[in-house]
Amino acid sequence: MKKKISIGLQDFREIIRAWWFYLDKTPKICKICEDPGIKHYFFARPRRFGKSITCSVMKHLFLWDRELFQWLHAYDHRDRTQTYPVIYISFASWTKESTPEDFLGDELKILVDGTQTNLKTYLNGEKLQIEQILKRLLPELKQKTWREVVIIIDEYDKPVLTHLSDPVKAEEMRTIFRNLYAPIKDSDQYIRFFWLSWLTKVMKMNIFSVLNNLRDISLLSGYADLVWFTQDEIENNYADEIDALVPREWVNREVIMTKIKERYNGFNFGDDKHTLYNPRDINNLMERGQFKYYRADTGIPSGIKEYVETKGSDLEQVVKKIRDRSLWIQELDMSLQDLNHIDLAPLFFQAWYFTIDYPIGQAYVLKFPNQQADVVFTKYFVELLKPN
């Protein structure tokens, strides 16, 4: 029976209540959220590839909206008696015209026992400086609720990526948000769980200087499939949809599976045994029943596009190297530190147009993960951005 598959929905409550299909990732999410030894996490994945829905699941898990989980692993594998206040911030809609106050005022969501308010209302109209917000909220929420606070931030680095072509502005944004989170390091007694979800590691070294207790799980094999799909998950959850492709493509099931792998598989997030599919590709394929380059639908990230146009980089040479298996980066260079001098290899690796082929000592050889990444990168970066 064909599933009701959503494209682009990021609110876990909306998905479950409308009976959209959700591939259950709560076994891994529960493991992360309930690990008594770790409560500060950093996790990087590109835009529109499953981070936001994961943040939403975490939010409802800590609020324990139990009716949303009754058909999922979490329902019988979580302490149902405990809830926590949640501070939830998403920078996904940040544009060049946005200001920090836009997202840290009326847009900053504070949730206690499922009741939502915003910062301005919570403070009775009082206005705080950015660096004072968490310093004020964390002890106050703990005092009022007698419970530790959960902080979930989605696409934390979007304000910096939006201004990549303007290093001065980008550095200004990076400093502002570094100051916002500085109080967290000395606030462990108020915090139950802290989650930073990022598009890239463009700000990692900056934020790690004030939050040196963050655990980076972006390339740890045990967390590789937290938001993406394994081969087994595809075959076990989309069997009917895959079968429906057979008569439409006029080939057998084995050919269909090979085509799916060649076009959409191949992403390596530190687990050499299991390369992954991104959910946007698979959900589009299974819902529409057509083999298309769905990554192209997301468009070129505006910050990266403007940076490449401004710097006039030789992308053809980058493509030549990656096809010759001679494009590689040092592990230390995976985190972009100097906004005035950004190397294209880690930039596109962090945007997941490239992925890990194999390690060499403390470095990684890069490759295109699949046919789609090759075609989309060549067409939308090399050809469209080629100098006239």
Side-chain angles (χ1 to χ4, degrees), residues 55-263:
C55 289
S56 185
V57 172
M58 288 178 171
K59 175 180 71 175
H60 291 288
L61 192 67
F62 280 110
L63 293 172
W64 193 231
D65 293 329
R66 58 180 298 173
E67 76 280 1
L68 302 179
F69 296 93
Q70 58 182 320
W71 306 112
L72 303 176
H73 170 90
Y75 192 76
D76 294 318
H77 296 84
R78 186 196 180 280
D79 181 359
R80 306 180 190 181
T81 64
Q82 187 63 277
T83 64
Y84 299 89
V86 176
I87 298 173
Y88 187 85
I89 310 172
S90 174
F91 294 100
S93 60
W94 184 283
T95 67
K96 279 194 171 183
E97 290 70 39
S98 300
T99 66
E101 290 76 18
D102 294 335
F103 287 78
L104 302 174
D106 290 343
E107 293 296 317
L108 197 160
K109 303 295 188 299
I110 302 171
L111 304 103
V112 179
D113 295 331
T115 301
Q116 177 174 291
T117 184
N118 58 53
L119 180 63
K120 187 176 180 180
T121 301
Y122 181 83
L123 297 175
N124 298 316
E126 182 181 353
K127 186 176 181 180
L128 298 178
Q129 297 296 316
I130 288 174
E131 61 270 19
Q132 297 174 318
I133 291 175
L134 291 179
K135 187 175 182 179
R136 163 78 174 274
L137 281 179
L138 293 176
E140 191 167 306
L141 280 169
K142 175 73 179 292
Q143 183 180 27
K144 285 185 176 181
T145 65
W146 292 86
R147 286 167 283 175
E148 296 169 313
V149 181
V150 171
I151 307 168
I152 300 172
I153 300 97
D154 189 21
E155 299 197 9
Y156 167 74
D157 55 341
K158 184 73 177 294
V160 175
L161 292 177
T162 303
H163 298 285
L164 267 188
S165 60
D166 183 353
V168 174
K169 186 67 174 179
E171 188 62 48
E172 177 189 340
M173 290 295 104
R174 189 158 70 168
T175 300
I176 286 173
F177 289 103
R178 176 180 179 272
N179 293 337
L180 170 68
Y181 292 104
I184 289 175
K185 183 177 180 180
D186 299 320
S187 301
D188 256 10
Q189 68 270 35
Y190 308 121
I191 297 174
R192 168 62 182 84
F193 182 79
F194 181 67
W195 178 265
L196 280 178
S197 176
W198 298 13
L199 293 163
T200 71
K201 293 184 180 181
V202 71
M203 297 175 67
K204 177 184 173 184
M205 296 306 294
N206 182 276
I207 194 69
F208 268 47
S209 66
V210 294
L211 289 178
N212 55 14
N213 55 350
L214 279 173
R215 179 172 172 80
D216 182 358
I217 62 172
S218 304
L219 292 177
L220 294 184
S221 60
Y223 305 93
D225 60 335
L226 175 63
V227 300
W228 293 40
F229 299 162
T230 65
Q231 187 66 36
D232 287 344
E233 286 176 326
I234 297 297
E235 296 182 9
N236 294 336
N237 289 276
Y238 293 99
D240 292 341
E241 287 76 13
I242 293 171
D243 288 340
L245 291 169
V246 172
R248 185 170 297 179
E249 294 289 316
W250 293 85
V251 294
N252 61 36
R253 198 176 194 277
E254 183 178 353
V255 174
I256 290 292
M257 292 309 304
T258 299
K259 191 172 182 179
I260 293 174
K261 288 180 182 180
E262 290 177 347
R263 183 163 293 204

Side-chain angles (χ1 to χ4, degrees), residues 19 36 109 119 128 193 200 248 253 259 261 272 281-282 288 322 349 369 372 385 388:
W19 292 94
K109 303 295 188 299
L119 180 63
L128 298 178
F193 182 79
T200 71
R248 185 170 297 179
R253 198 176 194 277
K259 191 172 182 179
K261 288 180 182 180
D272 293 333
D281 287 335
I282 293 303
R288 300 184 187 183
I322 205 166
F349 170 76
Q372 176 179 225
L385 299 183
N388 296 324

